[in-house]
Amino acid sequence: MSVQRPEVEVRSADFSVAEEYAALCERAPECGACVVFTGRVRGDGAVGALEALELEHYPGMTERSIAEVLATARTRWPVQAVRVVHRVGRLEVGEQIVFVGVAAGHRGDAFAAAEFVMDYLKTRAPIWKKEHGAAGTHWVESRAADAAAAARWDSDQQETA
Amino acid sequence: MLRVLFFASIRERLGSAGIDVVPAPGDTVAALVSRLEAGPLPGCSRWLAAPNTLVAVNQVLGSPDSALADGDEVAFYPPVTGG
């Protein structure tokens, strides 16, 4: 029996997808679908070749805002278990940044909820990325595409209301 | 006291991660910014009152009109880029 783990963790230590997946299935033993997503540090950035990303966060509010995203996801899809791990601190190219896992009865709900969690997390969680490259440092700017992706979930809600 | 926090590029611009401020009666976020501008952080309103700067009061998203009371935590930060 695994130790009860929180649904949301914000920390610097890396995570193991295999371990997270196993824990999720253990919490939702009757799920028919389990979707896992990882976000990773890409090699390209605004300052050219990236050396590392530095992630800053607002301790307390970051966890709270992600927990709110999960609560919202639960109101829209019949999610059986969910887990988010978001790393902060200095991360090198190729390192894992974020894990989102969703267990549900069926794949439609699991895929949709996981995508929703990422789209909302990216526009709401107080976390900021700073790129470190050979040419210097640069604070990543929020993207219109991310705002649009999050807004899409809101307009979907209105259409079905 | 109000515990005022600054994050990311705003923190760098102001050269400060945070400051404690004595609250004033009928305080709002906008009033706080004016007091910081007139007092310990001249020039700060350029960043704190910028249209896309976000503000959280006690870790809940707020606005310039948000009321403030003694003991509140007020955080100013740029648009988020996590995930």
Side-chain angles (χ1 to χ4, degrees), chain A:
Chain A
M1 176 83 94
S2 64
V3 175
Q4 189 73 5
R5 53 179 72 188
E7 285 194 336
V8 179
E9 243 189 280
V10 177
R11 70 190 203 201
S12 55
D14 201 358
F15 52 82
S16 154
V17 173
E19 199 181 277
E20 291 293 341
Y21 170 72
L24 213 45
C25 293
E26 196 174 329
R27 278 169 49 209
E30 301 188 353
C31 75
C34 187
V35 166
V36 303
F37 167 84
T38 63
R40 305 167 58 82
V41 181
R42 292 195 314 272
D44 62 300
V47 287
L50 197 68
E51 288 169 359
L53 269 188
E54 196 182 333
L55 285 91
E56 181 173 338
H57 75 297
Y58 182 174
M61 188 175 177
T62 306
E63 293 87 339
R64 200 163 165 158
S65 76
I66 298 175
E68 269 172 37
V69 172
L70 299 188
T72 304
R74 283 207 147 87
T75 66
R76 302 194 193 186
W77 295 280
V79 161
Q80 293 174 16
V82 63
R83 165 89 162 159
V84 172
V85 179
H86 202 303
R87 296 179 66 199
V88 290
R90 185 185 166 100
L91 302 179
E92 311 282 314
V93 172
E95 285 204 64
Q96 303 184 128
I97 304 172
V98 60
F99 171 89
V100 173
V102 177
H106 301 275
R107 72 185 186 286
D109 296 328
F111 275 120
E115 189 171 11
F116 169 84
V117 167
M118 271 308 297
D119 288 344
Y120 257 46
L121 180 163
K122 282 187 81 68
T123 53
R124 282 160 171 76
I127 298 169
W128 304 272
K129 289 173 179 163
K130 189 178 190 184
E131 294 174 340
H132 291 254
T137 64
H138 169 257
W139 285 101
V140 172
E141 275 148 37
S142 64
R143 295 165 59 224
D146 291 333
R152 177 174 63 93
W153 295 103
D154 298 334
S155 64
D156 284 354
Q157 281 292 101
Q158 285 160 26
E159 276 163 24
T160 59

Side-chain angles (χ1 to χ4, degrees), chain B:
Chain B
M1 294 298 275
L2 301 173
R3 178 78 198 128
V4 185
L5 305 174
F6 308 116
F7 289 95
S9 55
I10 292 181
R11 177 179 50 75
E12 286 185 350
R13 297 287 190 181
L14 298 183
S16 168
I19 184 172
D20 287 341
V21 177
V22 178
D27 231 352
T28 61
V29 167
L32 169 66
V33 172
S34 299
R35 284 216 302 295
L36 291 172
E37 174 76 37
L41 295 172
C44 72
S45 62
R46 179 181 173 191
W47 313 109
L48 302 186
N52 62 0
T53 290
L54 300 169
V55 62
V57 179
N58 297 325
Q59 302 189 1
V60 174
L61 208 56
S63 72
D65 298 329
S66 295
L68 299 177
D70 192 16
D72 280 350
E73 180 172 288
V74 188
F76 293 90
Y77 50 85
V80 303
T81 56

